[in-house]
Amino acid sequence: DTGVSQNPRHKITKRGQNVTFRCDPISEHNRLYWYRQTLGQGPEFLTYFQNEAQLEKSRLLSDRFSAERPKGSFSTLEIQRTEQGDSAMYLCASSLISAGYEQYFGPGTRLTVT
Amino acid sequence: GEDVEQSLFLSVREGDSSVINCTYTDSSSTYLYWYKQEPGAGLQLLTYIFSNMDMKQDQRLTVLLNKKDKHLSLRIADTQTGDSAIYFCAEWGSGGYNKLIFGAGTRLAVHP
């Protein structure tokens, strides 16, 4: 399968715990995006990387959130001291630099904070 | 400002055409999209249209763009039960940013 993959698919955690999600983009794609989708809403942009550089961050990305893409391939999104309001689907997408308008999404990681 | 709005629900009979509508506010949007999301799944890119076009057809899908009214529609011909899903309208390129801005989605229910 050459699509975007995300792990884990589901994560249940207790409030206050830290969680980390991983995204593997389509292999030749050098841009990688994170979005968050809450129930009944469309996805909202969090941040994106071009190769290993994080170029844009949304105001939604509080200090408890950190994203990395150390070698310009896979990316991780960590949430520290999770809160119930962090419960959502976290979606990753990737694109080519030359076609940033054509973003392909992974299946998402559903986070439930109890 | 950036805003994308869609009606929340549409119900059609199998075999009929479905038309899902969307309005957006930012005239600087470069591309406009339709994504499909099935329960528990990620988003599937269905089709997109460049802002200087007014129509795009791809098999059963027809996208119409009225740039003057900032209105986008997706027509699905011969709707099947497998088309039941949530359809998201999105825009890209407004304000020069590389992010997609989504509407809240239209739930399409196809009944026999």
Side-chain angles (χ1 to χ4, degrees):
Chain A
D1 184 14
T2 57
V4 178
S5 62
Q6 292 187 246
N7 286 290
R9 294 292 309 278
H10 303 274
K11 178 72 177 177
I12 300 173
T13 191
K14 292 186 177 175
R15 190 174 51 190
Q17 298 294 305
N18 299 344
V19 294
T20 301
F21 311 139
R22 176 177 169 130
C23 171
D24 288 86
I26 294 170
S27 59
E28 65 270 23
H29 283 187
N30 29 34
R31 279 194 179 156
L32 186 149
Y33 311 79
W34 286 99
Y35 291 80
R36 182 173 72 183
Q37 184 180 21
T38 53
L39 206 59
Q41 299 298 316
E44 295 175 289
F45 171 79
L46 292 178
T47 188
Y48 93 92
F49 292 84
Q50 183 165 298
N51 299 312
E52 63 276 8
Q54 189 172 16
L55 294 188
E56 192 178 334
K57 290 197 286 189
S58 160
R59 286 170 295 177
L60 292 176
L61 214 65
S62 76
D63 291 346
R64 296 184 298 106
F65 287 69
S66 63
E68 295 183 343
R69 195 182 183 200
K71 295 181 181 177
S73 56
F74 72 91
S75 175
T76 57
L77 177 68
E78 181 184 17
I79 309 174
Q80 296 183 325
R81 304 180 305 282
T82 51
E83 301 173 356
Q84 287 189 317
D86 297 331
S87 294
M89 175 83 92
Y90 290 84
L91 294 161
C92 176
S94 69
S95 75
L96 294 168
I97 292 176
S98 58
Y101 51 85
E102 203 168 291
Q103 297 182 21
Y104 294 93
F105 282 79
T109 295
R110 181 167 294 285
L111 173 66
T112 303
V113 182
T114 61
Chain B
E2 312 157 340
D3 197 16
V4 177
E5 293 192 355
Q6 307 177 234
S7 52
L8 294 182
F9 187 74
L10 177 66
S11 178
V12 298
R13 191 182 302 274
E14 193 174 10
D16 287 352
S17 292
S18 308
V19 179
I20 304 172
N21 295 300
C22 168
T23 57
Y24 61 99
T25 56
D26 198 325
S27 56
S28 67
S29 300
T30 312
Y31 287 91
L32 295 129
Y33 302 78
W34 288 103
Y35 279 86
K36 176 183 179 183
Q37 187 175 39
E38 296 183 73
L43 275 71
Q44 175 192 351
L45 176 58
L46 280 181
T47 186
Y48 61 90
I49 187 167
F50 189 49
S51 59
N52 70 352
M53 298 172 62
D54 50 23
M55 186 180 97
K56 181 178 179 182
Q57 187 149 5
D58 184 0
Q59 300 182 337
R60 293 190 298 123
L61 306 179
T62 303
V63 179
L64 295 178
L65 174 61
N66 181 328
K67 199 171 181 183
K68 174 175 167 289
D69 293 339
K70 299 190 187 74
H71 182 267
L72 182 75
S73 68
L74 173 69
R75 179 177 179 270
I76 305 172
D78 186 25
T79 313
Q80 302 297 307
T81 54
D83 295 323
S84 295
I86 301 176
Y87 290 80
F88 290 96
C89 173
E91 60 173 358
W92 181 89
S94 63
Y97 295 108
N98 287 299
K99 61 184 179 183
L100 290 165
I101 298 167
F102 288 86
T106 299
R107 181 178 295 277
L108 175 65
V110 183
H111 56 88

